[in-house]
Amino acid sequence: MWLFRLEFLTAYMSDAVVNGFMFGAAVHSARSQIPALLGIKVPNRDSEFFMIIYQLIDICKKIPDVNLYVLGISAVSITFLVTCKMLTDKYWPFKKIPFPSELILLISATIFSYFVEIHKHWKVSIIEDIPTGFPPFTFPKLALFPALLSYGISIAVVAFAITVSMGKMFAKKHGYTIYPNQELLALGSLSCVLSSIVIVALRSLMMKVQEVPPLWRISKIDCTVWVITAAAVLGYDIVEGLVVGVVVAVLSVIARSQWPLLNEIGRLPSGDFRVANRYDSAAAPIVPVIRFDAPLIFTNVERFKRAIRHEIATLSRVYVAAPEKLPLPDENDIVKNESNVHWDVVILDCSTWVYTDSMGIEAVKELILEMLSKNTLVLFSEVRSAVLMQYRKAGLFEVASEDQFYPSTAHALEVAEVVLTNGSKFIEAAGLGDKLRRCSLRSND
């Protein structure tokens, strides 16, 4: 995975996916330790829907075979670890050096096992003899590769996902940065540890379920991704659950770009521009300022056109300038052209348009021409230079003027005031007169 530079995959593992996955994986890990805690053996199962439920049923069927000595050792071990954790959090003076409760437990259990001979008298499974040295070198059996390939991929994906997930979690907690590709290079494999230590260690991961209520208040979409990921891991298996979580996270991004919000922008006393209905102190600028909260691309152009038409029609009927801002000019002060045509102005805040595509450019063309035919001038603010360059290359300025595009909303508002007081003069100066006349001829045809 390091060789093929697969670190880019971490970009699709959002915090919601990571936390939901870690919760589900923790539950799976805890379940896998239950037989060892009880001193029973249950059959292995291949991945299937609701596998964890079937596994718990298998465990329940073996309850009559529980080894009470093993259960007692497990209970004492878990109690010791939890008690040490609670006491050392309060009273252990060396905060940067963790109290070695797991090491103490292992040494104590080993000594106890040696002198009491729990394997012989209580039928408690122990590791027994550990071979020393390296095994002799032999060539791998290539015939086994096809059968092991799927397992190898699964182990690699799970190891990668758990390592990166844990890395992200600790990096966020302790304020440092991880480099996923370096983690892949250093990655070996997951270690097996004693069941009691695993259960206690998983406690913090399983408590991540407490994140769901606050996450729901912050972002219902992220909360949904969390729940679906956890449910997929619990309802199927770890690899499949991770894939489901990543797919749902990607679909949530697509959904946000396809159905973005359309917000009216207000001006704060500080001069900043923000969504008006979220700030009591936000005042309406001299003309409507609207923001389409997504890049303008093929997935949302139709929604963009419908929403802008509806918003402009609504705002043109009810819009009133705030008294503390520049007032709308009196009708007697407006210099009109020979046709007595008054120009309205609408500003589109394009700060979210980080990129665009050909259909997005065509949608902007259509909007500009349609509004020109209705004597409404559309000004674009907060336009990124890369997007403006695309507009030039696509021939947008054959129907529009560069005088309609501005790097800031404040600048666009200054121009809007000029248009309100002398719209016809601005239209001709910007070279929009001929384009407007072509629109009129086209509509007459």
Side-chain angles (χ1 to χ4, degrees):
M1 297 178 77
W2 168 81
L3 182 63
F4 293 104
R5 315 291 293 182
L6 296 182
E7 61 180 356
F8 73 92
L9 294 174
T10 60
Y12 299 98
M13 296 175 62
S14 66
D15 285 350
V17 172
V18 166
N19 293 332
F21 169 76
M22 291 305 295
F23 171 77
V27 174
H28 267 288
S29 299
R31 196 281 318 154
S32 68
Q33 301 303 319
I34 293 177
L37 289 174
L38 301 179
I40 59 177
K41 293 184 178 180
V42 295
N44 293 325
R45 286 183 175 270
D46 294 329
S47 295
E48 56 183 327
F49 285 111
F50 307 115
M51 179 182 67
I52 193 170
I53 296 178
Y54 296 131
Q55 290 171 330
L56 291 175
I57 292 174
D58 292 338
I59 292 172
C60 291
K61 290 178 179 179
K62 292 287 185 176
I63 292 297
D65 301 329
V66 168
N67 187 324
L68 296 181
Y69 294 108
V70 176
L71 179 60
I73 293 173
S74 301
V76 171
S77 300
I78 292 174
T79 303
F80 172 78
L81 292 172
V82 173
T83 303
C84 286
K85 175 65 175 174
M86 295 172 60
L87 293 178
T88 54
D89 284 348
K90 286 187 177 181
Y91 304 113
W92 180 246
F94 310 106
K95 299 301 181 183
K96 293 185 177 181
I97 303 176
F99 182 76
S101 55
E102 292 87 355
L103 181 60
I104 293 173
L105 177 62
L106 282 172
I107 294 174
S108 302
T110 302
I111 295 172
F112 179 76
S113 172
Y114 177 78
F115 287 104
V116 179
E117 295 183 330
I118 57 177
H119 176 60
K120 179 179 180 180
H121 298 298
W122 297 348
K123 297 182 179 179
V124 176
S125 298
I126 61 174
I127 296 177
E128 300 188 60
D129 295 330
I130 301 176
T132 59
F134 292 100
F137 175 80
T138 57
F139 285 100
K141 297 180 179 180
L142 301 180
L144 297 176
F145 274 27
L148 297 176
L149 183 61
S150 61
Y151 293 103
I153 293 174
S154 298
I155 292 172
V157 171
V158 171
F160 165 71
I162 291 180
T163 300
V164 173
S165 299
M166 294 291 289
K168 282 188 172 184
M169 186 176 67
F170 284 112
K172 187 175 181 180
K173 180 178 179 180
H174 299 290
Y176 61 85
T177 302
I178 67 168
Y179 300 95
N181 214 52
Q182 190 65 24
E183 297 293 328
L184 289 175
L185 177 60
L187 188 60
S189 63
L190 299 178
S191 302
C192 299
V193 295
L194 296 181
S195 301
S196 299
I197 296 176
V198 171
I199 290 293
V200 175
L202 292 173
R203 182 184 59 172
S204 61
L205 297 180
M206 296 178 69
M207 293 304 292
K208 284 188 171 292
V209 72
Q210 296 177 341
E211 297 178 355
V212 174
L215 188 60
W216 177 261
R217 292 192 294 269
I218 296 171
S219 172
K220 291 179 174 54
I221 293 179
D222 286 343
C223 183
T224 302
V225 173
W226 193 108
V227 172
I228 291 177
T229 303
V233 173
L234 293 174
Y236 204 169
D237 207 347
I238 292 178
V239 175
E240 292 81 359
L242 177 63
V243 172
V244 169
V246 170
V247 170
V248 171
V250 172
L251 290 177
S252 72
V253 174
I254 295 174
R256 293 179 192 185
S257 68
Q258 190 165 357
W259 294 284
L261 297 175
L262 193 72
N263 291 306
E264 184 179 354
I265 303 300
R267 179 178 249 164
L268 302 182
S270 63
D272 294 331
F273 294 91
R274 294 290 186 270
V275 178
N277 59 12
R278 296 178 187 170
Y279 295 85
D280 294 335
S281 60
I286 190 172
V287 297
V289 180
I290 305 169
R291 187 177 72 201
F292 188 69
D293 280 340
L296 188 56
I297 55 177
F298 71 98
T299 59
N300 57 33
V301 289
E302 293 302 323
R303 176 177 172 80
F304 167 77
K305 290 186 287 188
R306 289 196 303 268
I308 292 296
R309 290 186 189 113
H310 178 267
E311 194 74 9
I312 289 176
T314 302
L315 291 174
S316 64
R317 292 194 300 269
V318 303
Y319 201 84
V320 179
E324 65 270 30
K325 299 299 171 186
L326 291 170
L328 287 169
D330 186 85
E331 288 186 2
N332 297 324
D333 298 330
I334 297 177
V335 180
K336 301 181 179 179
N337 63 3
E338 297 79 5
S339 306
N340 270 346
V341 174
H342 168 66
W343 283 89
D344 292 318
V345 181
V346 173
I347 297 175
L348 289 186
D349 179 339
C350 306
S351 56
T352 59
W353 297 10
V354 293
Y355 60 92
T356 188
D357 60 10
S358 59
M359 290 186 66
I361 295 172
E362 288 300 318
V364 171
K365 285 183 180 180
E366 291 180 28
L367 179 68
I368 290 173
L369 290 173
E370 180 180 335
M371 292 300 110
L372 277 177
S373 66
K374 297 177 180 179
N375 300 316
T376 298
L377 182 66
V378 181
L379 301 181
F380 299 83
S381 68
E382 311 290 341
V383 184
R384 297 172 185 265
S385 58
V387 173
L388 197 60
M389 189 178 299
Q390 278 187 291
Y391 287 166
R392 288 195 185 98
K393 292 179 179 178
L396 178 68
F397 298 119
E398 295 176 4
V399 299
S401 167
E402 294 203 30
D403 291 332
Q404 291 176 263
F405 295 83
Y406 300 95
S408 70
T409 301
H411 193 179
L413 283 169
E414 293 175 4
V415 175
E417 183 185 1
V418 174
V419 176
L420 289 175
T421 57
N422 199 343
S424 298
K425 185 175 180 180
F426 178 87
I427 293 297
E428 292 298 334
L432 291 169
D434 292 338
K435 298 178 178 69
L436 175 61
R437 282 185 279 275
R438 285 200 297 270
C439 289
S440 300
L441 289 173
R442 191 180 299 128
S443 61
N444 290 335
D445 292 341

